């Protein structure tokens, strides 16, 4: 059997066999969701996860058993629904593949579109976005941490339609984008995420409130949280909750007043997020028709046409 060299030893699987594993992996992640999306399955099949996680040993992350080093150094172990640490001290991870499959399905990137990936980490899901928009599209991958941005730049150097930027993700997109994909938790969508959407553009981001520091997990994560999908339409912004999501908390310019955080926490604890149908942006919002009202924004329960 042909053996595939890794950066730290020899894989028991040939490159052709690993390609089959990746194909199966993509199908399995979508099967978890109960959806059929050939484009996302193909993106999972095309992108080698091990190329974005550094050399073994890799560290898996779980809220139950915290961090544990994967005993097998063969990249085949990465093709399962696990979270892998990128920067354990800061709680920055390469997130759950099934969760990202669900969020990418909600974002719906199309061939030829421009998607801005905010919180790109080491670039794995940026590479998937590259596959989804194709060579006629483009991806701007924004990462706040300089070390991770440098890794992403190296990892994505062969992806001709991807540009990596080190900077504060709340300031992007600079120009109109068809999609904005955010991979850290915030208590309010940034102005640019909303106002930088093209007509028909979609934003997927994790909304939440920050939880306590958990030393065994590293970093600070959302305590209450859900991924939301926003779509810019002619008459306003449609909104819906996609799934519970507890991403690492934002770094950079993402401050929200304590009273607004307290009200958002109360909204999560009161339930009913599934009633949200619209984002009311920088205009008056009727309290009786809203799940939550913040400073200059609200999540309403009425449809936006």
């Amino acid at each position: 059997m042909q053996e595939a060299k890794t950066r730290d030893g020899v894989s028991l699987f040939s490159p052709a066999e690993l390609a089959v594993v990746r194909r199966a992996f993509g199908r399995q992640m979508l099967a978890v969701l109960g959806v059929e999306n050939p484009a996302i399955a193909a993106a999972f099949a095309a992108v080698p996860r091990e190329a974005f996680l550094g050399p073994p040993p890799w560290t898996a992350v779980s809220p139950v058993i915290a961090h544990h080093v994967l005993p097998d150094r063969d990249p085949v172990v990465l093709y399962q629904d696990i979270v892998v640490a990128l920067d354990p001290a800061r709680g920055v991870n390469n997130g759950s593949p099934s969760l990202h499959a669900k969020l990418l399905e909600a974002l719906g990137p199309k061939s030829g579109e421009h998607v801005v990936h905010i919180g790109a980490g080491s670039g794995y899901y940026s590479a998937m976005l590259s596959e989804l928009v194709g060579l006629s599209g483009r991806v701007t991958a924004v990462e706040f941490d300089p070390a991770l941005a440098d890794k992403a730049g190296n990892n994505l150097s062969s992806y001709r339609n991807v540009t990596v930027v080190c900077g504060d993700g709340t300031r992007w997109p600079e120009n109109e984008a068809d999609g904005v994909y955010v991979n850290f938790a915030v208590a309010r969508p940034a102005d640019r995420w909303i106002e930088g959407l093209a007509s028909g553009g979609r934003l997927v981001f994790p909304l939440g409130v920050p939880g306590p520091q958990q030393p065994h997990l590293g970093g600070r994560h959302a305590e209450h949280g859900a991924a939301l999908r926003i779509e810019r339409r002619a008459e306003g912004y449609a909104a819906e909750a996609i799934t519970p999501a507890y991403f690492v908390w934002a770094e950079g310019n993402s401050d929200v007043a304590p009273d607004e955080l307290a009200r958002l926490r109360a909204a999560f604890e009161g339930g009913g997020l599934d009633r949200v149908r619209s984002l009311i942006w920088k205009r008056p919002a009727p309290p009786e028709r809203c799940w939550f009202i913040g400073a200059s924004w609200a999540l309403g329960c009425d449809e936006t046409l």
Side-chain angles (χ1 to χ4, degrees):
M1 179 177 64
Q2 180 186 6
E3 291 181 328
K5 291 283 186 180
T6 69
R7 279 188 289 178
D8 198 70
V10 177
S11 173
L12 296 177
F13 290 76
S14 71
E17 288 169 333
L18 278 174
V20 173
V21 169
R22 287 197 300 272
R23 286 175 55 204
F25 176 58
R27 294 292 297 274
Q28 290 165 356
M29 294 306 98
L30 289 168
V32 169
L33 309 179
V35 301
E36 184 73 20
N37 190 315
I40 293 178
F44 271 103
V47 180
R49 195 179 190 191
E50 63 273 17
F52 294 85
L53 300 184
W58 301 287
T59 300
V61 182
S62 164
V64 178
I65 55 177
H67 296 84
H68 66 284
V69 176
L70 294 172
D72 198 322
R73 303 166 79 88
D74 194 309
V76 75
V77 301
L78 299 173
Y79 294 102
Q80 53 184 315
D81 196 16
I82 58 173
V83 174
V84 180
L86 294 176
D87 186 342
R90 293 169 51 237
V92 177
N93 306 310
N94 178 251
S96 161
S98 67
L99 173 60
H100 280 274
K102 190 176 189 71
L103 301 184
L104 289 170
E105 165 84 1
L107 183 68
K110 302 177 183 67
S111 179
E113 290 191 328
H114 175 211
V115 175
V116 179
H117 183 196
I118 298 176
S122 62
Y124 178 57
Y125 293 109
S126 303
M128 287 201 188
L129 288 167
S130 167
E131 297 288 334
L132 290 166
V133 301
L135 289 178
S136 62
R138 58 193 177 99
V139 176
T140 303
V142 184
E143 173 53 45
F144 181 77
D145 179 72
L148 276 178
D150 186 60
K151 289 179 181 178
N154 290 329
N155 294 338
L156 293 163
S157 60
S158 63
Y159 291 80
R160 290 181 292 163
N161 60 349
V162 179
T163 300
V164 178
V165 176
C166 181
D168 185 343
T170 63
R171 299 176 182 175
W172 291 80
E174 290 187 323
N175 303 303
E176 282 193 346
D178 302 293
V180 177
Y181 190 54
V182 181
N183 287 169
F184 52 80
V186 292
R188 178 193 189 278
D191 286 13
R192 287 305 307 157
W193 302 351
I194 303 299
E195 295 165 10
L197 289 177
S199 177
R202 293 86 56 204
L203 160 68
V204 169
F205 78 103
L207 179 72
V209 294
Q213 188 81 26
Q214 299 183 51
H216 69 288
L217 286 179
R220 193 179 190 190
H221 291 72
E223 183 175 32
H224 299 287
L228 300 186
R229 180 186 190 274
I230 309 296
E231 180 177 339
R232 186 169 195 166
R233 298 180 178 174
E235 301 302 322
Y237 298 91
E240 64 176 320
I242 305 167
T243 185
Y246 306 95
F247 279 72
V248 69
W249 199 251
E251 296 178 281
N253 298 329
S254 57
D255 291 338
V256 173
D259 64 319
E260 185 166 332
L261 275 178
R263 287 186 283 111
L264 183 57
R265 183 186 302 275
F268 272 109
E269 292 175 349
L273 183 58
D274 59 330
R275 296 184 294 112
V276 168
R277 294 291 180 271
S278 60
L279 169 70
I280 301 170
W281 189 250
K282 296 187 177 179
R283 60 184 177 85
E288 70 280 3
R289 299 300 305 155
C290 290
W291 177 78
F292 171 76
I293 298 178
S296 76
W297 73 289
L299 292 171
C301 300
D302 295 323
E303 297 280 355
T304 296
L305 301 177

